[in-house]
Amino acid sequence: KVNIKIDGIDVAVPKDKTVLQAARSMGINIPTLCYLEGINKTGACRMCLVEIDGDKKLHTACTLAVWDGMVVKTNTKRVRDARRMNLRLILANHHCDCLSCSRSKNCELQDMCSDLGLSDEYLKALPKEKLQPVDALSPSIVRDPNKCILCGRCVAACKDVQKIEILLFANRGLETSVEPAFGDSFKDTPCIYCGQCINVCPVAALREKSEIEKVWEALENKDLHVVVQEAPAVRAALGEEFGLPMGTPVTGKMYTALRMLGFDKVFDTNFGADLTIMEEGTELLHRIKEGGKLPMITSCSPGWIRYIEHYYPDLLEHLSTCKSPQQMTGAVLKSYYPEIEGLDPKKVFVVSVMPCTSKKFEAAKEEMLNGHGTRDVDAVLTTRELAKMIREASIDFASLSDGKGDDIFSDYTGAGVIFGATGGVMEAAIRTVADIVSGQELEEIEYHAVRGLDGIKEASIQIGDMTVKVAVAHGTENAQKLMDLIREGKADYHFIEVMACPGGCVAGGGQPHVHSSQMVKINVRYERAKALYTEDSGNAKRKSHHNPSVQRLYKEYLGEPCGHKSHELLHTHYSA
Ligand code: HC1
Ligand code: SF4
């Protein structure tokens, strides 16, 4: 450790720390716009300037290592003036239409202007002739160069976390911008729409393509029967938007809010997750017994599907043919549901609430067209968009009482809800496969080897006389490692789970924004996953094949898992 003094307070810190880390550890949140712990450390925004005794220059705290005897001042007039000046330079090219901006009240730049007392004269919308075109052509992501502050966080998240490299710095000097190569639209790149770049954007330069208006219109349309389903991970994070502590599960409040918004029926994607396990577990056992392509790989994360389609097209046969729980739920809500309710399937409008931006792309795919000329899912809202609608409707979410979902498509087991955390699909699948193979009701149902945040998790699971070897990867960097092993013929697994986002859906690109200064203090992925495991252990039924409504669906409509009807409705194909 070294001894340093920051703003008159003595502190001992490990010698590999920066001044920024040292200051934050003692409760001084030096402002930053580009810094992201462990991901981006460039000093580009120059907001973290500090004074060092004996040095005339101001230094960026995020790049400056501590040394013994260092005396730092983070809060002098000179420092504050310099930060304000840098902020004004950033604002000169920033389209400050704050009142109508999607990040208003949740924008790191806006916060900083307010904290540093910047006067309104600097917060101006850019004149029309200075505005550059916005890329809103992809189904998932909007890039607005008029908002971009060139902090580089998105570039780092895509390149260094996901190892994909869609976003790049282009041009020089005043012309500098962040964009896909050749200035292409996202839609013409192999971007997987994971939205990890959106999650780190401090402003509204990257955001989801909003479908809020489409959903309000459907809710107003008396001709439509509008139903909603919510992904497992939504309930683990929605509360954050309304001031509840991270990791608070809000399933009941979420149902109440959705009903208040006017949905005719409130269902749950967790039902579809249980259904997916029935199909995927059966498919896995068929492949093992009949010499099918192994390892079989999960297919529920659309970012992952887009990734393998673009980057490992030679491995597509390894993918399970199962549609995702979102799409399975949608397909059932457009077929079996109207049949039992006597509704016209063309008039059933299915809305999903997802923690994911890639789900918008998934729902819009050609493959998801059904026999009635509509898609399985008609509109996809992110968790953030749902929160906006709740605010727009003046609903005081935090004080809502717990509501219930509607029969029968809101029935789910503990296995369905853990889908939202990395390893959850695997654990859910093993719970069911183990019972089927052993012919018993096994009591040991928690598979801790596949839980947690290690990049790649492996386990060999003994079921009767069968050893099932599994692996779990989250984030495309880790997926890449497993795919390379398959290509080299070195992956002797039976089953692999891949989720495109690090941590799984709980940290998807559509989840509530977490301020960069908070990301260091809280393990977002861990806290949100905890909410899901708590729901699982509190559920009387914890295995997908115990879901009575899923059982009823097979009995009355589908027949058997992976049967003819299932193939028609619940399975899909992939293209390179
Ligand atoms: Fe997911 Fe899934 S778990 S992909 O992460 O398989 O988005 O939550 O809805 O479809 O169930 C996301 C989450 C989600 C699907 C399920
Ligand atoms: Fe990269 Fe994902 Fe953002 Fe696309 S959505 S640019 S792949 S981080």
Side-chain angles (χ1 to χ4, degrees):
K1 288 208 172 187
V2 296
N3 296 306
I4 67 173
K5 193 188 276 283
I6 304 185
D7 296 340
I9 310 279
D10 291 316
V11 58
V13 288
K15 61 175 183 296
D16 60 347
K17 295 290 173 201
T18 59
V19 171
L20 179 74
Q21 288 168 320
R24 283 187 172 174
S25 73
M26 51 192 283
I28 302 169
N29 269 339
I30 295 178
T32 57
L33 281 172
C34 64
Y35 180 80
L36 264 190
E37 184 95 353
I39 299 174
N40 200 37
K41 181 177 139 180
T42 58
C45 75
R46 299 191 63 76
M47 291 309 301
C48 65
L49 292 173
V50 292
E51 268 185 56
I52 308 295
D53 260 17
D55 194 337
K56 283 198 190 114
K57 247 174 62 190
L58 294 177
H59 290 265
T60 47
C62 71
T63 55
L64 185 65
V66 294
W67 68 77
D68 201 40
M70 186 182 220
V71 177
V72 186
K73 293 199 179 84
T74 75
N75 181 28
T76 61
K77 178 169 187 319
R78 188 174 161 224
V79 161
R80 289 194 303 273
D81 284 347
R83 288 179 187 164
R84 264 193 290 269
M85 172 57 79
N86 291 337
L87 202 49
R88 290 204 289 266
L89 292 173
I90 292 170
L91 289 170
N93 286 311
H94 184 81
H95 187 42
C96 291
D97 59 343
C98 296
L99 282 181
S100 58
C101 177
S102 66
R103 287 292 294 271
S104 198
K105 298 207 285 192
N106 187 9
C107 166
E108 295 189 31
L109 181 63
Q110 198 181 39
D111 286 350
M112 210 168 284
C113 292
S114 157
D115 290 349
L116 290 176
L118 219 70
S119 62
D120 284 357
E121 65 187 292
Y122 299 106
L123 297 164
K124 284 197 192 118
L126 291 176
K128 273 214 174 68
E129 61 282 8
K130 264 193 104 177
L131 289 177
Q132 298 175 55
V134 172
D135 173 22
L137 296 177
S138 92
S140 294
I141 296 185
V142 173
R143 183 178 68 84
D144 184 347
N146 307 298
K147 300 275 180 189
C148 181
I149 59 169
L150 306 176
C151 67
R153 286 184 188 177
C154 57
V155 177
C158 190
K159 174 164 172 281
D160 301 328
V161 178
Q162 292 293 59
K163 294 275 187 275
I164 296 186
E165 233 178 319
I166 298 297
L167 289 162
L168 310 163
F169 278 102
N171 310 319
R172 282 171 180 269
L174 284 175
E175 302 293 309
T176 308
S177 65
V178 170
E179 55 191 43
F182 315 113
D184 280 351
S185 161
F186 274 120
K187 93 169 191 342
D188 299 321
T189 72
C191 165
I192 65 166
Y193 304 138
C194 65
Q196 292 301 303
C197 49
I198 298 179
N199 281 2
V200 295
C201 181
V203 291
L206 291 165
R207 54 187 190 255
E208 66 270 77
K209 175 111 160 239
S210 176
E211 290 179 71
I212 292 178
E213 281 315 311
K214 190 174 169 186
V215 174
W216 281 133
E217 271 171 33
L219 288 168
E220 284 297 311
N221 187 338
K222 295 283 170 278
D223 250 5
L224 293 176
H225 178 81
V226 188
V227 301
V228 63
Q229 55 159 320
E230 322 77 41
V234 173
R235 72 210 67 214
L238 181 61
E240 292 164 31
E241 289 272 351
F242 303 97
L244 295 170
M246 188 172 284
T248 311
V250 293
T251 310
K253 290 184 194 299
M254 174 178 80
Y255 289 159
T256 305
L258 289 166
R259 222 174 275 293
M260 288 173 164
L261 288 176
F263 288 97
D264 292 304
K265 286 285 163 77
V266 179
F267 298 134
D268 203 312
T269 311
N270 293 0
F271 167 87
D274 280 335
L275 182 58
T276 302
I277 290 301
M278 299 305 293
E279 294 292 321
E280 209 163 52
T282 309
E283 184 185 3
L284 176 66
L285 287 171
H286 282 170
R287 287 200 194 197
I288 293 176
K289 286 186 189 142
E290 288 157 22
K293 197 71 160 174
L294 292 174
M296 188 176 93
I297 315 176
T298 58
S299 52
C300 32
S301 158
W304 155 240
I305 298 299
R306 204 165 146 87
Y307 184 80
I308 187 171
E309 284 183 338
H310 277 287
Y311 298 95
Y312 291 87
D314 49 314
L315 302 184
L316 285 176
E317 275 184 293
H318 288 271
L319 284 178
S320 157
T321 60
C322 287
K323 287 183 183 173
S324 72
Q326 159 174 266
Q327 296 303 138
M328 283 203 189
T329 309
V332 170
L333 294 176
K334 296 263 176 139
S335 55
Y336 175 62
Y337 172 61
E339 197 170 300
I340 57 173
E341 291 292 318
L343 296 162
D344 176 355
K346 289 199 272 310
K347 298 203 168 150
V348 176
F349 190 93
V350 177
V351 177
S352 311
V353 187
M354 294 282 137
C356 173
T357 35
S358 209
K359 287 282 174 196
K360 291 177 183 268
F361 149 77
E362 179 183 65
K365 280 171 117 175
E366 282 285 305
E367 298 91 296
M368 303 304 165
L369 262 172
N370 56 39
H372 315 293
T374 61
R375 300 283 202 273
D376 290 340
V377 172
D378 299 284
V380 179
L381 301 167
T382 60
T383 310
R384 293 188 293 262
E385 288 176 277
L386 173 61
K388 282 205 173 103
M389 290 181 72
I390 292 173
R391 277 194 286 270
E392 202 175 330
S394 312
I395 295 168
D396 178 7
F397 186 83
S399 64
L400 292 183
S401 54
D402 285 346
K404 285 203 178 344
D406 286 299
D407 281 349
I408 62 171
F409 308 101
S410 66
D411 248 2
Y412 64 89
T413 70
V417 77
I418 57 174
F419 261 60
T422 164
V425 181
M426 181 59 74
E427 183 166 343
I430 304 170
R431 288 182 190 177
T432 286
V433 167
D435 274 13
I436 295 175
V437 171
S438 68
Q440 295 171 17
E441 285 294 336
L442 298 176
E443 282 178 15
E444 291 291 320
I445 59 159
E446 295 196 350
Y447 295 89
H448 289 271
V450 296
R451 294 188 183 183
L453 292 170
D454 288 347
I456 294 176
K457 293 164 278 186
E458 291 178 311
S460 287
I461 294 149
Q462 195 62 39
I463 311 170
D465 52 7
M466 190 164 126
T467 310
V468 182
K469 213 175 155 202
V470 303
V472 174
H474 55 115
T476 42
E477 176 182 14
N478 295 313
Q480 205 175 66
K481 292 178 190 157
L482 288 182
M483 293 312 109
D484 288 343
L485 282 183
I486 298 182
R487 265 189 186 161
E488 291 161 20
K490 292 183 188 157
D492 60 341
Y493 309 107
H494 296 97
F495 193 25
I496 296 178
E497 177 201 297
V498 179
M499 287 291 176
C501 295
C505 297
V506 286
Q511 291 285 61
H513 281 288
V514 181
H515 198 286
S516 59
S517 62
Q518 291 304 306
M519 286 184 196
V520 202
K521 296 181 189 152
I522 314 169
N523 187 336
V524 175
R525 294 171 186 134
Y526 174 82
E527 292 300 330
R528 290 181 183 160
K530 210 168 66 184
L532 300 183
Y533 288 112
T534 307
E535 264 225 17
D536 167 35
S537 52
N539 197 315
K541 293 193 165 52
R542 298 179 69 192
K543 295 171 180 173
S544 297
H545 55 289
H546 289 171
N547 183 323
S549 301
V550 168
Q551 290 168 349
R552 175 176 156 191
L553 176 66
Y554 279 108
K555 193 154 160 264
E556 289 185 2
Y557 194 68
L558 292 174
E560 54 179 358
C562 292
H564 176 70
K565 201 134 202 167
S566 289
H567 269 288
E568 199 182 296
L569 284 175
L570 310 179
H571 290 251
T572 183
H573 58 274
Y574 309 103
S575 46

